[in-house]
Amino acid sequence: MLAAYAARADPADPLSALNVGDIDPPEVPADWVQVNVRAAALNHHDIWSLRGVGLAADRLPMILGCDAAGVTDDGREVIIHAVINDPDFVGSDATYDPARSLLSERYPGTLAVAVRVPRANAIPKPPELSFAEAACLPTAWLTAYRMLFTQSGAKPGDTVLIQGAGGGVATALITLGRHAGLRVWVTSRDEARGARAVALGAHQAFPSGTRLPERVDAVMETVGAATWSHSINALRPGGTLVICGATSGDNPAKAELTKIFFKPLRVIGSTMGTRAELISLTQMLITTGVRPVIDRTLPLTDAAEGFAAMINGDVFGKIVVEP
Amino acid sequence: MLAAYAARADPADPLSALNVGDIDPPEVPADWVQVNVRAAALNHHDIWSLRGVGLAADRLPMILGCDAAGVTDDGREVIIHAVINDPDFVGSDATYDPARSLLSERYPGTLAVAVRVPRANAIPKPPELSFAEAACLPTAWLTAYRMLFTQSGAKPGDTVLIQGAGGGVATALITLGRHAGLRVWVTSRDEARGARAVALGAHQAFPSGTRLPERVDAVMETVGAATWSHSINALRPGGTLVICGATSGDNPAKAELTKIFFKPLRVIGSTMGTRAELISLTQMLITTGVRPVIDRTLPLTDAAEGFAAMINGDVFGKIVVEP
Amino acid sequence: MLAAYAARADPADPLSALNVGDIDPPEVPADWVQVNVRAAALNHHDIWSLRGVGLAADRLPMILGCDAAGVTDDGREVIIHAVINDPDFVGSDATYDPARSLLSERYPGTLAVAVRVPRANAIPKPPELSFAEAACLPTAWLTAYRMLFTQSGAKPGDTVLIQGAGGGVATALITLGRHAGLRVWVTSRDEARGARAVALGAHQAFPSGTRLPERVDAVMETVGAATWSHSINALRPGGTLVICGATSGDNPAKAELTKIFFKPLRVIGSTMGTRAELISLTQMLITTGVRPVIDRTLPLTDAAEGFAAMINGDVFGKIVVEP
Amino acid sequence: MLAAYAARADPADPLSALNVGDIDPPEVPADWVQVNVRAAALNHHDIWSLRGVGLAADRLPMILGCDAAGVTDDGREVIIHAVINDPDFVGSDATYDPARSLLSERYPGTLAVAVRVPRANAIPKPPELSFAEAACLPTAWLTAYRMLFTQSGAKPGDTVLIQGAGGGVATALITLGRHAGLRVWVTSRDEARGARAVALGAHQAFPSGTRLPERVDAVMETVGAATWSHSINALRPGGTLVICGATSGDNPAKAELTKIFFKPLRVIGSTMGTRAELISLTQMLITTGVRPVIDRTLPLTDAAEGFAAMINGDVFGKIVVEP
């Protein structure tokens, strides 16, 4: 079947590792359901996979993609929840399963004409959302929803600082935060990006690392080492730092343990979200009228063009591909 | 000093019990601060006081009013937090103090040229809010903020049902809920009120007692006996009913204990709010641009006109009085 | 296969409706796993089923029982989690599934040589617990664990009042509460039962309806109408009433809505528990050394003797049956 | 009046900076209450103060001590809550006040015949606790209570790892955890200390840095840099690290940001506790019968002997001094 996949990895030139073509339909457990993909979306996670990060050689070739919406064989319109749990996982939160994986890590991903997932991972797609809009949600937007509304403890009227105005999660954080009654502040190394964040709904944009006019209730951190001390210093006592990534590295110059206990602060790690949170996110989009910004829509066969744009930083919003 | 006060109570004709005139400045603990009132707002609580409900005869004459904003003797612009705690109360939530009272219950109220309160009850008024706007917040709006954002557990995208579209708390619930990303449904016995609720921000209005198209995540209950079974039936399993009043009575035909444990449900009593919640409310108004609807502004000497309008149900929004 | 089942219902003489004998192995979904029962326990739920409460005639004959421990066909020792969810239920809490049922309500129960359940409902049995001990946990003890440690909000040092010292849930509440650092108070209509509760770990026993020496932080309610007002009055402001049953009826003389919002209070409905809570319960028993009290152990063929003792109130602890 | 105080600081020889003798009664706000000290307890905080850490030279001479119990001028037996808040602090948690201080940092401490505190900081001492026992609670034990029961999210049956078996907070954590139904694991560099921890109630002691037999639900961290990576690795996904101190330093070799978000984990800073938590702690001691271990009781004039023992590590439990 037609799919975009990695047959090898290339840390230096990830695009060279991308294949788009026919591939044998993958084997997955017999009780999984087939979803015929109508729209999928690209993520930086796919580019990391093409570089070989988090994707062992013995799993290649691997179909890429963790975002999609489509139609099951029995005609239900669904959104894919990309967190695959161990069937014996006991717990109330799918992201706490030590054996969890994302689609395209252990099981074939969504950049294909069809993808198979456990029945529980095919979430009803509300008719108010198009397939393209729905395909943008399961990764960056779900991550943002959980960070703000499950993890941060922020209440309407609180101030939330988003470090780094650029990425997909940051864009979702700005939009969702603004429509939930939060005061949204962003930092950015780039003035144009800051302006775009304000156009998207941020109340105010600041240059990265700048001293803020007052302390904030929560910080949303995706940058890591480069912004860590600024994030810690930005918070009021009792404030919460939610971290879902560390694109600038894992090890800041100062770990700031003393500030964490003395100020004191809460640091909450967060990754992806649950099925219930994905449903809540779709309901929030319907209720508020918010929709993800789609940068462009491409045929699946042109996935390379989309990834090239992402690598060049030449993207604002999600890139959707249609098989 | 000039004040509106009850010198006696009259259950049948509360307006006849209202006095507006000079009264000796009340005695309060020496360490309380004086706030020179710039604007106060009327509440049904005042009318109950004029009827003698919750106000023992030996406390008369009593200056009415629990809403106000003004200026302290040292020039700080403040909002009055009307919940007066016992100085020895130990606890994190002012509304859980068994010895608490509201201004105008045990200590003189806000319908006067000046009111004295414990220092902690004079909350900074942000410059973005006028005195009249600020005076609308400490009772109905604070109650609504706490019900929605501290008690209900509702997350953006959830559906909240507000029983009874008319009252001051319901108006605040509609407005705040809409601006926090919630789907807001209201019920009303009166079609015009339902339409006004929609104009104010409700997503949909239903006739009282009607079967809803789907089950809701939370119900905000102010009506009590008349709507109790409808509220219980409207909730999804795991849903939350927040109750802050029971204007139709205390004892519904069915208490519905079995549905509470079998469905199961949470029933959360809520009354007023904390100082921290009052500050959060002011921040939410600034962040979202929302302002309380003011029905009219009167001189304090015309307070009777305002109360008459409230008794006649001829009001939409808060009535502000200025000394 | 050998099982204890209801082939008809008899409200007046439930024992006459009990059959113990061979019955065709039931049909259940193909992907469910078989558990060979080593020990099961009797519950009042079974007696209600024999009376026809909650068990429609068209579901008869129905194998009774919701408590059991046993061994799967591939040799794993397991405890049965009796809450059966809809496979499409999306949510983090199994007890909030509107389509949930208990074993023996829609699917055949545990009083048999074997029972089949969804794979997720076969929870690992720790070796520290015998099959008989493990079989006592999935209903009354799980309900008690959730009430105290998920729902009540009680912290070590808090006072918890348990209404009615007699039943299986109350016994579990006393034991678990005592070993979690709570102060445990019970009420009982019967002095001997109160004394037995104290022997089991309660700090103090009071006659039902008596005025307590001080207000409590939480009430555990299983009685319903007969104790409702006492429970409401017993709580401190901000206290929590957790209710899992209403053996004395659904509709108390006073619903007490005003006390719920004015005091204010929280009323939390609770039924059974989740798989994660069942695992936590087994860990607590191991950690503290607590074990359920077993009144007697009978062969499955003598189940009638066990039910007769329960109907006569002649039981202290759980009755275990072995096939 | 007689007091133990620092008149100068000496990082190298803190004992040489200790004075015990007459000192002018300190000036404090007029509305504070006087507590005549019956028993006080020594803390490492005092030794740091003698070294000049956290105590600016312009505040000297400063009476030491943050733990005490005594009697007010009007005869009430009280425990001192050592967290002094700004009178204008608005918030529900005293430890989140950015302007808070501990007694002996800005206002004179408890190692004196009398200490003056805000009325709210004099908590009723239950008669079940002696003055010496009560004097041990406000610092280390309060810190431990809050870490375990407010911050960690641990439920009965969960496993809690305590890094470093030796200190005062660790001792309190072991004792309180054991009596709340938690499984208590400790690490220690010293076998004898590990054995003592087990005698005190720990289920198991491990050499520092050892790989544990299974992952834990929560870690209590007081050591900091030296144990940080071990703590992070010890936790299960979704687990919680509570940190109240970093005696081995602020900056671990690895900050472990990726593990925090990918595993994911929660890191909660915690310092001291609230008045309500202090009361809950006293109730827990009464309910469980637990009492703090008192190493020795000395006259205030021999405080130097107590501090010398602490500096030599020759202490097991709290050192109480009596004026």
Side-chain angles (χ1 to χ4, degrees):
Chain A
M1 66 180 198
L2 180 66
Y5 62 95
R8 59 180 187 87
D10 190 331
D13 183 7
L15 273 184
S16 76
L18 175 69
N19 296 267
V20 182
D22 261 325
I23 190 168
D24 285 343
E27 284 180 40
V28 296
D31 57 345
W32 287 23
V33 298
Q34 173 154 325
V35 176
N36 301 295
V37 174
R38 294 291 175 85
L42 309 186
N43 284 292
H44 280 281
H45 186 274
D46 304 314
I47 299 174
W48 296 334
S49 298
L50 290 166
R51 290 196 161 108
V53 178
L55 184 54
D58 60 358
R59 288 186 179 158
L60 299 175
M62 174 59 79
I63 300 177
L64 301 168
C66 22
D67 273 343
V71 181
T72 62
D73 277 345
D74 59 356
R76 292 180 297 125
E77 300 190 354
V78 299
I79 307 178
I80 299 297
H81 182 227
V83 181
I84 308 298
N85 286 114
D86 186 285
D88 286 331
F89 172 62
V90 173
S92 60
D93 193 312
T95 74
Y96 295 162
D97 174 6
R100 73 179 192 275
S101 67
L102 281 196
L103 281 178
S104 80
E105 289 177 353
R106 198 170 306 159
Y107 299 103
T110 60
L111 295 184
V113 294
V115 61
R116 293 185 65 193
V117 294
R119 180 188 179 89
N121 287 65
I123 304 288
K125 180 188 83 63
E128 291 89 341
L129 300 178
S130 71
F131 284 104
E133 290 163 349
C136 298
L137 304 181
T139 303
W141 283 74
L142 175 58
T143 299
Y145 185 93
R146 178 176 173 89
M147 290 175 78
L148 282 173
F149 305 128
T150 304
Q151 308 283 35
S152 79
K155 305 176 314 296
D158 280 358
T159 301
V160 174
L161 176 70
I162 299 164
Q163 294 279 23
V169 173
T171 304
L173 287 166
I174 292 166
T175 311
L176 295 178
R178 178 63 187 232
H179 285 82
L182 301 173
R183 182 159 66 155
V184 176
W185 285 359
V186 301
T187 62
S188 176
R189 282 174 304 177
D190 181 81
E191 207 172 325
R193 281 198 182 174
R196 217 158 48 185
V198 169
L200 211 60
H203 290 81
Q204 208 166 339
F206 300 89
S208 291
T210 202
R211 190 189 173 84
L212 302 174
E214 58 187 71
R215 288 188 167 164
V216 304
D217 300 289
V219 174
M220 302 294 113
E221 177 65 87
T222 62
V223 179
T227 51
W228 186 252
S229 283
H230 184 259
S231 293
I232 294 285
N233 288 319
L235 284 162
R236 65 161 171 82
T240 301
L241 188 164
V242 187
I243 178 168
C244 75
T247 54
S248 69
D250 187 44
N251 212 13
K254 293 181 178 184
E256 307 283 12
L257 300 191
T258 296
K259 282 182 184 157
I260 290 173
F261 76 74
F262 185 73
K263 210 173 195 184
L265 303 175
R266 296 163 11 110
V267 175
I268 311 290
S270 194
T271 185
M272 302 290 292
T274 66
R275 294 184 282 149
E277 287 162 344
L278 181 52
I279 291 177
S280 294
L281 167 62
T282 65
Q283 292 171 332
M284 183 178 177
L285 297 197
I286 295 169
T287 296
T288 59
V290 164
R291 291 295 180 275
V293 175
I294 295 177
D295 177 87
R296 73 193 79 176
T297 301
L298 301 169
L300 174 55
T301 45
D302 290 348
E305 177 191 328
F307 284 126
M310 289 171 70
I311 289 169
N312 294 334
D314 186 22
V315 174
F316 183 63
K318 299 291 286 181
I319 296 180
V320 171
V321 296
E322 294 173 341
Chain B
M1 65 180 198
L2 180 67
Y5 61 96
R8 60 182 186 87
D10 190 330
D13 183 6
L15 273 184
S16 76
L18 176 69
N19 295 267
V20 182
D22 260 326
I23 190 169
D24 285 342
E27 284 180 39
V28 296
D31 56 346
W32 287 22
V33 297
Q34 173 154 326
V35 176
N36 302 294
V37 175
R38 292 291 176 85
L42 309 186
N43 285 291
H44 279 283
H45 186 275
D46 304 314
I47 300 174
W48 295 334
S49 298
L50 290 166
R51 288 195 162 109
V53 177
L55 185 54
D58 60 358
R59 287 183 180 162
L60 299 176
M62 173 60 79
I63 300 177
L64 300 169
C66 22
D67 274 342
V71 182
T72 62
D73 276 346
D74 58 358
R76 291 179 298 124
E77 299 190 353
V78 298
I79 307 178
I80 299 297
H81 181 228
V83 180
I84 308 298
N85 285 114
D86 188 284
D88 285 332
F89 172 63
V90 173
S92 60
D93 193 313
T95 74
Y96 295 163
D97 174 7
R100 75 180 190 272
S101 67
L102 282 196
L103 281 178
S104 81
E105 288 177 353
R106 199 170 306 158
Y107 299 103
T110 60
L111 296 184
V113 294
V115 59
R116 293 185 65 193
V117 294
R119 179 189 180 91
N121 288 64
I123 304 288
K125 180 188 82 64
E128 291 90 341
L129 301 178
S130 72
F131 285 104
E133 290 164 349
C136 298
L137 303 181
T139 303
W141 282 74
L142 175 59
T143 299
Y145 185 93
R146 178 176 173 89
M147 289 175 77
L148 282 173
F149 305 127
T150 305
Q151 309 281 33
S152 79
K155 306 176 312 295
D158 280 358
T159 302
V160 174
L161 175 70
I162 300 164
Q163 294 279 23
V169 173
T171 303
L173 286 166
I174 292 166
T175 310
L176 295 178
R178 178 66 188 231
H179 284 82
L182 302 173
R183 182 159 67 155
V184 176
W185 285 359
V186 301
T187 62
S188 176
R189 284 174 304 177
D190 181 81
E191 207 172 322
R193 280 196 182 174
R196 216 156 50 185
V198 170
L200 211 59
H203 290 81
Q204 208 167 339
F206 300 89
S208 292
T210 203
R211 189 187 172 86
L212 302 173
E214 58 187 73
R215 288 187 166 165
V216 304
D217 299 290
V219 174
M220 303 293 114
E221 177 64 88
T222 61
V223 179
T227 52
W228 186 251
S229 284
H230 185 259
S231 293
I232 294 287
N233 288 318
L235 285 162
R236 67 161 170 80
T240 301
L241 189 164
V242 186
I243 178 167
C244 76
T247 54
S248 68
D250 187 43
N251 212 12
K254 294 180 178 185
E256 308 282 13
L257 300 191
T258 296
K259 284 182 183 158
I260 291 172
F261 75 75
F262 184 74
K263 209 172 194 184
L265 303 175
R266 298 163 9 110
V267 175
I268 311 292
S270 194
T271 185
M272 302 291 290
T274 66
R275 293 184 283 149
E277 287 163 342
L278 181 52
I279 289 176
S280 294
L281 167 62
T282 65
Q283 291 170 332
M284 183 180 178
L285 297 196
I286 295 169
T287 296
T288 59
V290 164
R291 292 294 180 275
V293 176
I294 295 176
D295 177 88
R296 73 194 79 177
T297 301
L298 302 169
L300 174 56
T301 45
D302 291 348
E305 177 191 328
F307 285 124
M310 289 172 70
I311 289 169
N312 294 333
D314 187 22
V315 174
F316 183 64
K318 299 291 285 181
I319 297 180
V320 171
V321 296
E322 295 174 340
Chain C
M1 65 180 199
L2 179 67
Y5 62 96
R8 60 182 187 87
D10 189 331
D13 184 7
L15 273 184
S16 75
L18 176 68
N19 295 266
V20 182
D22 258 326
I23 190 168
D24 284 343
E27 285 180 37
V28 297
D31 58 344
W32 288 22
V33 298
Q34 173 155 325
V35 177
N36 301 295
V37 175
R38 294 291 176 84
L42 309 187
N43 283 292
H44 280 282
H45 187 274
D46 304 313
I47 299 174
W48 295 333
S49 297
L50 291 166
R51 290 195 162 108
V53 178
L55 183 53
D58 60 358
R59 288 186 179 157
L60 299 174
M62 173 60 81
I63 300 178
L64 300 169
C66 23
D67 274 343
V71 181
T72 62
D73 276 346
D74 59 356
R76 290 180 298 124
E77 300 190 353
V78 299
I79 307 178
I80 300 297
H81 181 226
V83 180
I84 309 298
N85 286 113
D86 187 284
D88 286 332
F89 172 63
V90 173
S92 60
D93 193 313
T95 74
Y96 295 163
D97 175 6
R100 74 178 191 274
S101 67
L102 282 196
L103 280 179
S104 80
E105 288 177 354
R106 198 169 307 158
Y107 299 104
T110 58
L111 296 184
V113 294
V115 61
R116 292 185 64 194
V117 294
R119 180 188 177 90
N121 288 65
I123 304 288
K125 181 190 83 63
E128 291 90 340
L129 300 179
S130 71
F131 285 103
E133 289 164 350
C136 297
L137 304 181
T139 304
W141 282 74
L142 175 59
T143 299
Y145 185 92
R146 179 177 173 88
M147 291 175 77
L148 281 174
F149 305 128
T150 305
Q151 308 282 33
S152 80
K155 306 179 311 297
D158 280 358
T159 301
V160 174
L161 176 70
I162 300 164
Q163 293 280 23
V169 174
T171 303
L173 287 165
I174 293 166
T175 310
L176 295 178
R178 177 64 188 232
H179 284 82
L182 301 172
R183 183 160 65 156
V184 177
W185 285 358
V186 301
T187 62
S188 177
R189 284 175 303 178
D190 181 83
E191 207 171 323
R193 280 196 183 176
R196 219 156 48 183
V198 169
L200 211 59
H203 290 81
Q204 208 167 339
F206 300 89
S208 291
T210 203
R211 189 188 173 85
L212 301 174
E214 59 187 70
R215 286 185 168 169
V216 303
D217 299 289
V219 174
M220 303 295 114
E221 177 64 88
T222 61
V223 178
T227 51
W228 186 252
S229 284
H230 184 259
S231 293
I232 295 287
N233 288 319
L235 284 162
R236 65 160 170 81
T240 301
L241 189 164
V242 186
I243 178 168
C244 76
T247 53
S248 68
D250 188 43
N251 212 12
K254 295 182 177 182
E256 307 282 13
L257 300 191
T258 297
K259 283 183 183 155
I260 291 172
F261 76 75
F262 184 73
K263 209 173 194 182
L265 303 176
R266 297 160 14 109
V267 175
I268 311 293
S270 193
T271 186
M272 302 292 292
T274 66
R275 293 185 283 149
E277 287 162 343
L278 181 52
I279 290 177
S280 294
L281 167 61
T282 64
Q283 292 170 331
M284 183 180 177
L285 297 197
I286 295 168
T287 297
T288 59
V290 164
R291 292 294 179 275
V293 176
I294 296 177
D295 177 89
R296 72 193 83 176
T297 301
L298 302 169
L300 174 56
T301 44
D302 291 348
E305 177 190 328
F307 285 124
M310 289 170 72
I311 290 170
N312 294 334
D314 186 23
V315 174
F316 183 63
K318 299 290 286 181
I319 296 180
V320 172
V321 295
E322 295 174 339
Chain D
M1 64 181 199
L2 179 66
Y5 62 96
R8 60 183 187 86
D10 190 330
D13 183 7
L15 273 184
S16 76
L18 175 69
N19 295 267
V20 183
D22 260 325
I23 189 168
D24 284 343
E27 283 179 40
V28 297
D31 57 346
W32 288 21
V33 297
Q34 172 155 326
V35 176
N36 301 295
V37 175
R38 293 292 176 85
L42 310 186
N43 284 291
H44 279 282
H45 187 275
D46 304 313
I47 299 174
W48 294 334
S49 298
L50 290 166
R51 289 194 163 108
V53 177
L55 184 55
D58 61 357
R59 287 186 179 159
L60 299 175
M62 173 61 78
I63 300 178
L64 301 169
C66 22
D67 274 341
V71 182
T72 62
D73 276 346
D74 60 357
R76 291 180 297 125
E77 299 191 352
V78 299
I79 306 179
I80 300 297
H81 182 227
V83 181
I84 308 298
N85 286 114
D86 187 282
D88 285 332
F89 172 63
V90 173
S92 60
D93 193 312
T95 73
Y96 295 163
D97 173 7
R100 74 178 191 274
S101 67
L102 281 197
L103 281 179
S104 81
E105 288 177 354
R106 198 169 307 156
Y107 299 102
T110 59
L111 296 184
V113 295
V115 60
R116 292 185 65 193
V117 293
R119 179 190 180 90
N121 288 64
I123 305 288
K125 181 188 83 63
E128 291 89 342
L129 300 178
S130 72
F131 284 104
E133 289 164 349
C136 297
L137 304 181
T139 303
W141 283 74
L142 175 59
T143 298
Y145 186 93
R146 178 176 174 89
M147 291 175 76
L148 282 174
F149 304 128
T150 304
Q151 309 282 34
S152 80
K155 306 176 310 298
D158 281 357
T159 301
V160 175
L161 176 69
I162 300 164
Q163 294 279 23
V169 173
T171 303
L173 287 166
I174 293 167
T175 310
L176 294 177
R178 177 66 189 231
H179 284 82
L182 302 172
R183 182 160 66 155
V184 176
W185 285 358
V186 301
T187 62
S188 177
R189 285 175 301 178
D190 181 83
E191 206 172 325
R193 279 196 183 176
R196 217 156 52 185
V198 170
L200 211 59
H203 290 81
Q204 210 167 338
F206 299 90
S208 292
T210 202
R211 189 187 173 86
L212 302 174
E214 60 187 72
R215 286 184 168 169
V216 303
D217 299 289
V219 174
M220 303 295 114
E221 178 64 88
T222 61
V223 178
T227 52
W228 186 252
S229 284
H230 184 260
S231 294
I232 294 286
N233 288 318
L235 284 162
R236 66 160 171 81
T240 301
L241 189 164
V242 186
I243 178 168
C244 76
T247 53
S248 67
D250 187 42
N251 212 13
K254 295 181 177 184
E256 307 282 13
L257 299 190
T258 296
K259 284 183 182 157
I260 291 173
F261 77 75
F262 183 74
K263 209 171 195 183
L265 303 176
R266 297 160 15 107
V267 175
I268 311 291
S270 193
T271 185
M272 301 292 290
T274 65
R275 293 184 283 147
E277 288 163 342
L278 181 52
I279 290 176
S280 293
L281 167 61
T282 64
Q283 292 170 332
M284 182 179 178
L285 297 196
I286 295 169
T287 296
T288 59
V290 165
R291 292 295 180 276
V293 176
I294 295 178
D295 177 88
R296 70 193 83 175
T297 302
L298 302 168
L300 174 54
T301 44
D302 292 347
E305 176 191 329
F307 284 125
M310 289 171 71
I311 289 169
N312 295 334
D314 186 22
V315 173
F316 182 63
K318 299 291 285 183
I319 297 180
V320 171
V321 296
E322 295 175 340

